[in-house]
Amino acid sequence: MVNHITLQSEKNAAFIRQQAAELGFSFCGISEAGFLAEEAPRLERWLAQGRHGKMAYMENHFDKRLNPALLHEGAKSVVSLLLNYYPEKETGADEPGNEPKYKISKYAYGKDYHLVIKDKLKQLLARIRENIGEVSGRAFTDSAPVLEKAWAAKSGLGWVGKNGNLLNRSMGSFFFIAELIIDLELPPDGPVKDYCGTCTACIDACPTDAIIAPQVVDGSRCISYFTIELKDAIPASVKGKFENWIFGCDICQDVCPWNRFAKPHNEPEFLPSAELAGMKNKDWEEITEEVFGRVFGKSAAKRTGLAGLKRNVAFVKEADNLDNAPDTL
């Protein structure tokens, strides 16, 4: 005889998946809210080796990163969600016959994803409460000590690829990850296998050699780290290696074979403004506080600040000028 509680929990899980889809999430998976025992030694080793560079916040809340019960008392389930941000057209893509354009990571084209996703998560939690009853929970998206990729992999939404990103067979990796940690018991989904095989495209393509081993990324070598997280001067040792990236970097995702299956998103708030889409190299080099505020005021790119963005542009431009300078005796 099937347990009534099991039937009800399966019904609740189906409802949550349906509502997540209606809110625009591409995938929804569920895992039991328990201690991430396998991740603990990996995280400890990564931090001990200084792979986080000057991202001191990564050292904080070690226990909370591994145990959702410390983030939300009474946690029983982690609902992981994926939201597609792959654009129909790249901003900064080189035009035939023109000079290579400065590039920013695709996730920063539109409105700050934190704002967009948090609103969707609040709606999802409200619908859960309306339909299921009093459910206590917290919503997260890259804003708290949550090992999002580990939870997404644990719930079957994909596997962690050699570039450290979550890969999904039908969608690739251009998506945001979000979670609801709730005190509702739900049937967990199982993980999927790793489909990277012998491919090393991401490792081979990284210009700063940040992927030091499969699934191990030295954050302190990553172009995204240099252009976003690092507040000091960018070291001369990586000059000429940015390939025109001035905010973030998508190289290891762009070369991944699984992103052949990426499809353009349908979230209006992730679309770039006409002004951003039309930015020329000269516009980036002469960007003012007014333009920065207008174009990036509600974008994730505002995190680097005007001074940081100008530093990045100057660093890339100087390297390019050196590369293109005529040979001298």
Side-chain angles (χ1 to χ4, degrees):
M1 182 175 178
V2 179
N3 189 300
H4 171 70
I5 296 178
T6 301
L7 284 175
Q8 186 59 51
S9 65
E10 289 178 349
K11 183 179 177 181
N12 291 340
F15 171 79
I16 292 172
R17 288 191 176 91
Q18 177 192 11
Q19 295 304 309
E22 289 185 10
L23 287 167
F25 289 104
S26 305
F27 297 93
C28 174
I30 298 166
S31 48
E32 183 180 350
F35 181 73
L36 292 172
E38 291 184 11
E39 295 300 320
R42 294 176 190 168
L43 178 59
E44 188 172 24
R45 183 167 55 251
W46 189 80
L47 290 169
Q49 294 172 343
R51 305 300 185 193
H52 56 309
K54 294 190 176 182
M55 296 182 285
Y57 63 87
M58 293 294 297
E59 301 172 29
N60 303 330
H61 309 296
F62 182 85
D63 293 338
K64 287 184 178 180
R65 294 181 191 278
L66 300 165
N67 187 355
L70 298 178
L71 288 169
H72 186 66
E73 187 176 354
K76 293 182 179 178
S77 299
V78 178
V79 179
S80 294
L81 305 127
L82 304 184
L83 185 62
N84 182 18
Y85 68 84
Y86 188 71
E88 187 168 3
K89 182 181 179 183
E90 290 189 32
T91 295
D94 302 338
E95 298 293 339
N98 293 335
E99 65 177 329
K101 292 179 68 176
Y102 297 129
K103 294 176 283 190
I104 68 171
S105 190
K106 298 175 186 62
Y107 79 83
Y109 283 5
K111 186 176 179 180
D112 189 340
Y113 65 95
H114 296 93
L115 303 175
V116 176
I117 296 177
K118 275 294 180 72
D119 182 60
K120 291 180 183 293
L121 292 176
K122 288 178 182 177
Q123 291 184 61
L124 179 57
L125 189 55
R127 294 182 187 186
I128 290 172
R129 287 168 174 160
E130 289 171 10
N131 184 273
I132 297 174
E134 187 54 42
V135 175
S136 177
R138 289 185 66 187
F140 302 96
T141 177
D142 192 27
S143 57
V146 179
L147 294 179
E148 297 184 314
K149 287 176 283 190
W151 286 112
K154 191 177 177 69
S155 64
L157 299 186
W159 71 97
V160 177
K162 291 176 182 173
N163 61 5
N165 290 308
L166 186 81
L167 301 180
N168 180 285
R169 290 183 76 189
S170 62
M171 188 175 166
S173 63
F174 288 105
F175 45 72
F176 298 116
I177 307 176
E179 305 80 33
L180 282 182
I181 297 179
I182 54 180
D183 66 352
L184 179 67
E185 192 169 345
L186 297 167
D189 299 305
V192 298
K193 65 174 287 188
D194 184 322
Y195 288 96
C196 281
T198 59
C199 177
T200 59
C202 58
I203 297 174
D204 300 336
C206 180
T208 57
D209 298 319
I211 308 172
I212 58 176
Q215 302 179 339
V216 182
V217 178
D218 186 337
S220 69
R221 296 188 195 177
C222 182
I223 293 174
S224 289
Y225 168 78
F226 291 124
T227 58
I228 303 173
E229 301 288 349
L230 184 65
K231 305 310 176 187
D232 303 331
I234 301 172
S237 60
V238 291
K239 186 161 287 186
K241 296 183 178 182
F242 279 23
E243 298 187 12
N244 275 23
W245 291 96
I246 57 172
F247 181 89
C249 177
D250 292 335
I251 292 174
C252 68
Q253 296 190 81
D254 287 336
V255 301
C256 177
W258 288 106
N259 276 316
R260 292 175 298 178
F261 304 108
K263 304 174 184 67
H265 66 78
N266 55 9
E267 176 53 65
E269 297 201 271
F270 289 160
L271 293 173
S273 66
E275 189 167 6
L276 173 60
M279 292 276 281
K280 307 296 183 185
N281 283 7
K282 187 175 180 181
D283 298 321
W284 287 109
E285 292 163 7
E286 299 177 354
I287 191 168
T288 63
E289 189 171 347
E290 180 185 354
V291 173
F292 181 82
R294 186 170 64 243
V295 176
F296 298 113
K298 294 183 179 179
S299 161
K302 69 180 182 292
R303 184 175 175 188
T304 193
L306 176 61
L309 184 63
K310 293 180 78 169
R311 175 203 63 179
N312 298 342
V313 171
F315 184 82
V316 170
K317 181 183 180 183
E318 182 183 356
D320 188 56
N321 287 340
L322 289 174
D323 289 343
N324 294 321
D327 292 334
T328 57
L329 294 176

